[in-house]
Amino acid sequence: MFRRQLHDRLMSVAVAALLLSSCARLGPEDVSDSAGMTVGEGKPVPAAAETPAVGTGDRDAADDPEIWVDPKDASRGVIIGTDKQAGLYVYDLTGKQLQYVPGGKPNNVDLRDGFPTAQGARVLVAASDRGRPGAGAALFLLDPATLKLSLWGEVPVDLAEPYGLCLARRGETFLVIVNGTDGQVRQHTVAAGPDGRPVFKEERRFAVPSQPEGCVADDATGRLYLGEEGAGVWRFDVGAGPAKGEKIAVAPSEMLTPDVEGLTLLREGPVTWLIASSQGDSAFAVWRVDGPKPEYRGRFSVTAAGAVDAVTGTDGVAALGGPVGAFPEGLVVMQDDEDHGQAGGGAKRARQNFKLVDWREVKEALGLRP
């Protein structure tokens, strides 16, 4: 009896230790903070397509997408999405996986076309990365001829924990902007050096009061939009001098329910729209921002359609105006925190993915007109 009791006690201790050890290995970014949410209360917009779930299961993984389209052929292009536990995925414009680039822990991703290299113009792709020691941003090059993505180098950034990222272009200068969980922001120039490797230089640093993440730059106007997760959206310039910020949207509010996550811009001729991911209520807020003051135009949420489930607890978002594959006026891509097996129910897959939305549906739902 004593031996059996001792055995049972030892087994209980071992199991408890194993559970504690597993919990200790899971950081705050390993467990989704928005699981189990319902579809938001924005104007309903149907999902058009989706990507496969990212490979990392049972943890918070899919985070941020970006879109590139061949300027000479709108039927050619890619969607790049992060698995922040493992690497980058490359999809075609229908959501089909084309490539997986393992390595690091890439959180946010952005890109800029026309980046000069010795091999010709490439698409510069950058991702904030907490998985490569000493690096704040991982740099990749996308070959526009083959649509292949390759790791190019790293930018070491003086941040305790790199988190959000966006790229900008000021004339012929390309900029990598990385923010950290402590509110600090670092802005670097980047170019290809004589040996083909990245050459970078810190240009300026500034901060917001609390943790930011999503950011997006408007190269045409020189404006930078930065989301402060629990407080709203800021607007800065992308110059080299001291940063002067203006908060253009407050959270929590009727527009945004924290966390404020992804930010993206969509251009239609002279009109530019800013879209912000309102994670706390599974919705997206839209402003017109080509004028001197932002004009709030409403919110939308993505509902199930056909075999594609709805978007809940969303994180990153990307948009591109004009013809994009099968989407004649533009495409919006967003992270879905819980990818269900089918629309309207079914067994849940403990994974996350990205949903595709026709921009025409958003415009119709919100009555967006220039």
Side-chain angles (χ1 to χ4, degrees):
M1 177 67 71
F2 174 76
R3 288 183 178 179
R4 177 175 294 178
Q5 290 176 340
L6 179 61
H7 175 270
D8 291 344
R9 288 178 182 177
L10 289 174
M11 287 297 293
S12 298
V13 170
V15 170
L18 179 61
L19 290 173
L20 287 172
S21 174
S22 298
C23 291
R25 287 195 297 267
L26 294 178
E29 290 302 314
D30 292 322
V31 181
S32 172
D33 57 3
S34 56
M37 294 183 66
T38 58
V39 179
E41 297 181 356
K43 294 292 182 66
V45 170
E50 64 181 337
T51 69
V54 299
T56 300
D58 302 318
R59 289 192 292 171
D60 196 21
D63 193 278
D64 192 45
E66 193 48 81
I67 309 165
W68 177 81
V69 166
D70 188 333
K72 298 179 181 179
D73 182 358
S75 68
R76 297 183 70 251
V78 296
I79 299 165
I80 300 174
T82 63
D83 178 337
K84 62 186 177 184
Q85 309 295 343
L88 291 178
Y89 284 87
V90 182
Y91 310 97
D92 68 14
L93 297 177
T94 69
K96 178 183 177 181
Q97 183 179 326
L98 299 176
Q99 185 185 0
Y100 172 59
V101 182
K105 290 188 174 183
N107 196 45
N108 284 186
V109 64
D110 201 3
L111 58 82
R112 282 296 183 276
D113 206 348
F115 184 73
T117 73
Q119 290 73 41
R122 294 291 185 266
V123 182
L124 175 65
V125 178
S128 54
D129 197 334
R130 292 170 292 178
R132 291 180 170 87
L139 302 178
F140 304 81
L141 294 176
L142 177 73
D143 187 334
T146 64
L147 302 184
K148 293 296 183 182
L149 185 68
S150 303
L151 179 65
W152 181 43
E154 300 166 352
V155 176
V157 179
D158 178 24
L159 290 171
E161 185 179 2
Y163 201 54
L165 172 145
C166 55
L167 295 179
R169 184 171 180 175
R170 191 179 61 229
E172 297 304 312
T173 301
F174 288 78
L175 304 169
V176 181
I177 302 166
V178 186
N179 62 65
T181 54
D182 58 357
Q184 293 292 316
V185 183
R186 302 290 185 263
Q187 181 172 309
H188 288 71
T189 61
V190 63
D195 60 357
R197 297 180 180 180
V199 176
F200 43 84
K201 180 181 180 182
E202 183 178 304
E203 189 174 64
R204 68 173 180 175
R205 53 178 60 192
F206 57 98
V208 292
S210 64
Q211 179 171 314
E213 184 177 3
C215 67
V216 63
D218 187 341
D219 297 343
T221 62
R223 292 169 175 166
L224 170 68
Y225 298 91
L226 178 65
E228 187 181 0
E229 288 193 343
V233 179
W234 291 82
R235 184 171 68 183
F236 297 88
D237 63 75
V238 291
K244 296 181 180 179
E246 172 192 9
K247 187 177 285 188
I248 63 170
V250 175
S253 66
E254 72 279 3
M255 298 177 287
L256 296 166
T257 300
D259 286 349
V260 179
E261 293 288 345
L263 298 179
T264 189
L265 294 169
L266 186 146
R267 296 178 182 83
E268 291 185 295
V271 178
T272 302
W273 306 102
L274 172 68
I275 304 172
S277 173
S278 177
Q279 187 181 72
D281 59 356
S282 303
F284 300 87
V286 180
W287 296 262
R288 181 173 174 175
V289 293
D290 49 275
K293 293 291 184 181
E295 301 174 10
Y296 175 64
R297 292 298 187 89
R299 290 154 40 92
F300 69 93
S301 295
V302 180
T303 58
V308 184
D309 60 301
V311 171
T312 56
T314 187
D315 205 314
V317 61
L320 186 63
V324 181
F327 306 94
E329 296 182 23
L331 171 65
V332 186
V333 180
M334 62 279 292
Q335 183 258 18
D336 181 15
D337 191 68
E338 288 188 349
D339 179 33
H340 295 237
Q342 57 186 1
K348 292 183 180 179
R349 291 180 288 180
R351 292 183 179 178
Q352 302 170 335
N353 73 342
F354 300 96
K355 298 296 195 284
L356 283 63
V357 170
D358 191 326
W359 175 241
R360 293 176 299 177
E361 298 282 2
V362 177
K363 290 200 296 182
E364 181 177 351
L366 298 184
L368 299 181
R369 299 291 183 270

